[in-house]
Amino acid sequence: MCGIAGIWQRERAPVDSAALRRMTRALVHRGPDEEGYFERDGIGLGHRRLSIIDLGSGQQPLCNEDGSVWISFNGEIFNYVELRKDLERRGHVFRTHSDTETIVHLYEEKGLRFVDDLNGQFALALWDARERRLILARDRVGIRPLFHTTLADGAFLFASEMKALLAHGGVGAEIDPVAIGQVATFWVTVPPRTPFKGIEELPPGHLLVLNERGRSAQRYWRHVFPGEHEYEQRSLDAWAGDVHELLHDAVRLQLRSDVPVATYLSGGLDSSILTSIVQRHHNHHLNTFSVQFADARFDESEYQRQMVEHLRTNHRSTTVSSADVGNAFADVVWFAERPTMRTAPAPLLRLSGLVREAGIKVVLTGEGADEIFGGYNIFREDKVRRYWARDPASERRAALLSRLYGYVERDRRAESFWRMFFRKNLELTDDPYYSHRRRWDNATQIKRAFAPDLRAQMQSEEESLDELTAYLDPGRQRWHPMCRAQYLEMMLFMSCYLLNTQGDRMMMANSVEGRVPFLDHRVIELAARVPPQFKIRGLQEKYLLKQAFVRELPPIITQRPKQPYRAPISSCFSPRQNHLAAELMREGELVRTGVANASVVGRLLQAADKGALAERDEMAVCTVASVQLLKHLFVDKLQPNETPNPNDHRRAMAS
């Protein structure tokens, strides 16, 4: 895994070498092992390397035999062994044993269709000197990030992280109020929008091609589900067998590495399945890692212990308190580069630090299983509400909602509130956003915590939905309702938040590469063909996945109730805390920055001190804190022509 950066001058003007080096060195955490550059008239590629495959000769940027095609690559191509054999049969000559060189020769063979053959997670920049064109590509679901911007003089910049673009010297950091409004509704920004004006992200599954005639974006892959009544008629056992076989193959490919590989073991179904498969394919004693919480409400250590005993792994864990979360939150925002409604990334940042301290560079994780196999409560909510909508007066149908949240303590008053919450717009089942509308309507109330001037610059609800609709597949209404809900979750929460803010960014902050076998595109495409009734049976989530691996896991894991990964929020930002996030939440700082409504946030913090904060209000506090940090770290503190340093805000706090 690595960091990439580059500059392209349409008029073939010389590249600013000093700026390219500042950009590339801003990504040192993504690639501490080596640094490399390629420069010609009008093009400059930079690379920071985290050595995983072909440790001795895989330096980048890398080229083909005659130097006409160059690449700077972040990621892994897991089927590179098979691709290389085929390319060698076709006459291509390799100089290294790296997966990266495979891409260059595949491009020579297939042109822009080279991405179709890649099984991997990647963000790359490829320079074709003959055609004088620059090609940016991002993996199918956005496991690896890629951002770009265009300067006033026409120079085009790209990089793995936005801080590298800001290090160029010609890009200013200005927070986009529209982006903040989208986060306070959808939980994420809608690609290609980012939190900073003028900076865009390349959406997952896309190519961006630039040449002297202009530029064009192309989608090369998309999520596809059968029509609602077009599913294959196969037995549950047949589907389970296919899932079992293909997931084993995905893990086999993703274990390819010239350095040791470990797994995260949370105690949930997905990481337990993944770790059990890795154990079968592993040549030596497997290392596993987990987060434990001082607060029992969030802790899953008993399930972790059960799996460690079952698989006999070499296990390490780190215990995290509310204070730890608060102390780490500035680092979270620095590396994530975006607002967040949750503190959940903070323990994962600490966990990747533990992994790196143990001398491990590669970790396999269970992300993606909930989205593709139907594990989230939002899918079950949608199913229950549609069932309830067919008989809105039914108390029995409404009561089914109580079965979805066993981990949440509720009294009769809270139960009545939840019933009213899910009852709103119950019968509007033709709404294309029916599954998510209640969540979004609830989240948008968070905007009240922001300053009136900032709120006035946010989009209207209609404008936000128009931008979202333009980003999504127009044919999704022909899919089963559950598939529509899965699609929204994958396109927004998974790709735009989970894989970045809780995945890539928190791992690469400590120079650790994360791999996600559930998101092998073959597994995604297989899961999409599975009839919805096999994913959620009654109200039992991920039924098919459990059946596929029930013989390999202890019953305590397959039969345990769903407990989503969460972390403390409200207690982390109290003004009594001594860390940067708490400092920026004090009244004087809230007034000075003009980001928040200081009186509203003050009342929320007072309620938090008494332990009386509702979930939505907790999310409001977290969102405001993250925007305050975003402004402080990137707008106020980061200076032009400066290589960003993640320790700067720590030094500022200490002084």
Side-chain angles (χ1 to χ4, degrees):
M1 199 56 58
C2 307
I4 68 173
I7 303 172
W8 177 68
Q9 300 276 12
R10 185 172 176 179
E11 302 301 327
R12 307 194 188 192
V15 167
D16 184 337
S17 295
L20 179 61
R21 279 153 179 75
R22 285 195 302 273
M23 292 170 65
T24 305
R25 288 167 184 166
L27 302 171
V28 64
H29 54 284
R30 298 188 68 89
D33 296 336
E34 292 180 309
E35 178 177 281
Y37 298 93
F38 164 75
E39 293 181 46
R40 291 289 187 274
D41 288 345
I43 184 68
L45 303 178
H47 190 265
R48 291 293 320 192
R49 186 183 186 199
L50 179 64
S51 304
I52 303 293
I53 291 176
D54 189 14
L55 307 185
S57 64
Q59 291 80 13
Q60 296 185 50
L62 178 152
C63 67
N64 61 346
E65 301 96 321
D66 63 5
S68 62
V69 179
W70 285 83
I71 189 171
S72 186
F73 171 67
N74 166 34
E76 303 289 350
I77 304 303
F78 300 118
N79 63 335
Y80 76 99
V81 174
E82 293 79 8
L83 291 173
R84 178 179 178 132
K85 289 178 182 177
D86 181 63
L87 289 163
E88 286 178 329
R89 283 195 296 268
R90 295 171 183 269
H92 293 268
V93 178
F94 285 73
R95 293 182 296 172
T96 76
H97 296 285
S98 71
D99 58 331
T100 307
E101 191 177 0
T102 305
I103 304 171
V104 170
H105 295 293
L106 196 61
Y107 171 76
E108 289 183 289
E109 191 70 30
K110 295 198 169 185
L112 295 180
R113 302 312 311 177
F114 76 100
V115 286
D116 295 341
D117 290 359
L118 301 179
N119 182 327
Q121 47 195 53
F122 55 85
L124 62 88
L126 188 147
W127 172 247
D128 184 336
R130 290 196 184 99
E131 296 289 332
R132 288 204 58 80
R133 68 178 178 182
L134 174 66
I135 299 156
L136 303 185
R138 192 173 176 205
D139 66 64
R140 292 169 177 83
V141 295
I143 301 168
R144 300 300 159 210
L146 189 54
F147 300 91
H148 59 86
T149 190
T150 303
L151 304 184
D153 65 2
F156 178 85
L157 316 180
F158 62 87
S160 296
E161 297 183 12
M162 289 182 279
K163 60 178 66 67
L165 301 178
L166 298 174
H168 174 275
V171 183
E174 182 180 358
I175 291 178
D176 181 2
V178 171
I180 306 306
Q182 288 186 350
V183 170
T185 300
F186 307 131
W187 294 37
V188 298
T189 54
V190 178
R193 189 181 295 278
T194 72
F196 297 110
K197 289 183 177 180
I199 296 179
E200 295 185 351
E201 70 171 307
L202 183 65
H206 276 70
L207 293 169
L208 185 63
V209 182
L210 302 97
N211 56 34
E212 293 174 357
R213 297 183 299 277
R215 74 190 217 185
S216 63
Q218 306 173 23
R219 182 190 292 272
Y220 69 85
W221 186 90
R222 64 181 69 238
H223 294 280
V224 176
F225 294 89
E228 186 170 357
H229 305 291
E230 298 173 0
Y231 285 92
E232 297 177 61
Q233 298 302 308
R234 304 178 67 213
S235 69
L236 174 67
D237 288 344
W239 286 113
D242 287 351
V243 168
H244 187 278
E245 179 181 355
L246 187 54
L247 196 52
H248 268 270
D249 192 59
V251 170
R252 177 186 65 83
L253 289 180
Q254 296 201 20
L255 284 174
R256 287 175 170 170
S257 171
D258 293 335
V259 298
V261 176
T263 71
Y264 281 172
L265 185 58
S266 70
L269 178 72
D270 310 331
S271 68
S272 298
I273 288 173
L274 180 65
T275 303
S276 69
I277 298 174
V278 172
Q279 184 76 300
R280 287 181 173 230
H281 290 275
H282 222 252
N283 297 335
H284 50 82
H285 205 43
L286 177 63
N287 291 295
T288 56
F289 297 86
S290 68
V291 169
Q292 298 178 3
F293 287 96
D295 188 330
R297 294 175 300 167
F298 308 104
D299 190 55
E300 298 181 76
S301 57
E302 175 57 25
Y303 297 107
Q304 295 165 9
R305 185 188 65 78
Q306 293 275 355
M307 279 304 300
V308 168
E309 291 182 0
H310 178 70
L311 296 174
R312 298 182 179 179
T313 66
N314 178 28
H315 191 71
R316 297 177 181 86
S317 63
T318 181
T319 301
V320 177
S321 67
S322 294
D324 294 328
V325 172
N327 288 330
F329 199 65
D331 287 346
V332 166
V333 175
W334 171 256
F335 288 110
E337 304 179 319
R338 63 187 67 210
T340 174
M341 289 184 175
R342 301 286 196 188
T343 58
L348 297 175
L349 178 62
R350 181 159 172 166
L351 181 61
S352 69
L354 177 66
V355 171
R356 188 66 189 194
E357 288 170 9
I360 303 292
K361 287 185 177 181
V362 180
V363 175
L364 273 65
T365 75
E367 274 81 16
D370 282 314
E371 289 83 359
I372 68 175
F373 286 110
Y376 286 136
N377 278 327
I378 199 166
F379 305 142
R380 299 196 293 169
E381 282 173 17
D382 183 60
K383 183 175 183 177
V384 170
R385 291 185 75 229
R386 289 178 184 276
Y387 178 60
W388 183 14
R390 296 202 296 269
D391 186 4
S394 171
E395 286 294 314
R396 181 179 62 83
R397 296 188 179 202
L400 291 172
L401 290 164
S402 300
R403 294 170 53 184
L404 304 186
Y405 296 93
Y407 58 91
V408 177
E409 296 181 8
R410 298 201 298 273
D411 55 23
R412 183 174 298 178
R413 182 179 174 185
E415 196 72 38
S416 175
F417 171 80
W418 275 49
R419 189 78 59 90
M420 292 172 58
F421 175 81
F422 287 118
R423 179 71 176 80
K424 186 176 180 181
N425 297 327
L426 178 68
E427 296 166 69
L428 301 182
T429 55
D430 289 335
D431 179 356
Y433 300 114
Y434 184 80
S435 59
H436 285 63
R437 181 77 73 169
R438 292 302 300 123
R439 297 289 184 88
W440 294 347
D441 287 349
N442 187 48
T444 199
Q445 301 302 313
I446 291 172
K447 294 176 183 177
R448 294 182 294 111
F450 287 99
D453 288 348
L454 186 66
R455 291 205 310 271
Q457 299 175 66
M458 296 177 181
Q459 290 173 319
S460 67
E461 179 182 349
E462 183 179 0
E463 290 170 328
S464 294
L465 286 175
D466 284 347
E467 190 168 319
L468 176 61
T469 301
Y471 176 62
L472 300 176
D473 193 316
R476 66 189 185 281
Q477 281 301 105
R478 60 185 292 271
W479 301 337
H480 187 281
M482 180 183 170
C483 299
R484 287 178 245 157
Q486 287 182 274
Y487 175 72
L488 286 175
E489 203 67 7
M490 287 187 284
M491 290 291 284
L492 294 175
F493 183 77
M494 184 184 82
S495 289
C496 301
Y497 170 77
L498 185 69
L499 293 176
N500 283 273
T501 306
Q502 287 188 199
D504 174 271
R505 303 311 189 82
M506 296 305 106
M507 289 188 175
M508 293 305 291
N510 287 303
S511 307
V512 173
E513 173 182 295
R515 298 181 179 183
V516 279
F518 280 105
L519 294 180
D520 180 310
H521 70 278
R522 300 170 302 160
V523 178
I524 296 174
E525 290 166 357
L526 171 62
R529 299 197 304 272
V530 173
Q533 67 267 24
F534 290 152
K535 295 176 185 174
I536 298 180
R537 191 161 209 171
L539 289 180
Q540 187 175 166
E541 79 282 352
K542 286 188 289 196
Y543 184 76
L544 173 66
L545 188 60
K546 292 174 182 176
Q547 294 306 303
F549 291 94
V550 67
R551 294 181 182 87
E552 298 169 31
L553 300 176
I556 193 173
I557 299 298
T558 56
Q559 296 173 13
R560 66 168 292 196
K562 172 72 174 176
Q563 179 177 335
Y565 167 68
R566 301 178 300 148
I569 297 179
S570 59
S571 57
C572 301
F573 303 113
S574 167
R576 295 195 304 271
Q577 299 285 342
N578 184 31
H579 54 71
L580 183 57
E583 171 94 13
L584 294 173
M585 292 294 277
R586 291 169 185 159
E587 183 178 8
E589 284 297 307
L590 293 171
V591 172
R592 182 188 65 80
T593 63
V595 166
N597 185 321
S599 61
V600 170
V601 174
R603 288 195 296 272
L604 293 178
L605 290 173
Q606 288 177 358
D609 275 350
K610 300 174 183 176
L613 211 57
E615 182 183 24
R616 183 178 68 194
D617 293 333
E618 283 199 315
M619 292 193 298
V621 168
C622 190
T623 307
V624 169
S626 61
V627 176
Q628 284 283 88
L629 283 163
L630 201 69
K631 186 175 188 303
H632 175 81
L633 297 173
F634 291 95
V635 179
D636 298 341
K637 294 296 183 183
L638 195 59
Q639 301 301 312
N641 301 316
E642 176 185 50
T643 300
N645 186 331
N647 292 313
D648 285 348
H649 63 270
R650 299 188 190 110
R651 287 198 296 268
M653 188 61 187
S655 63

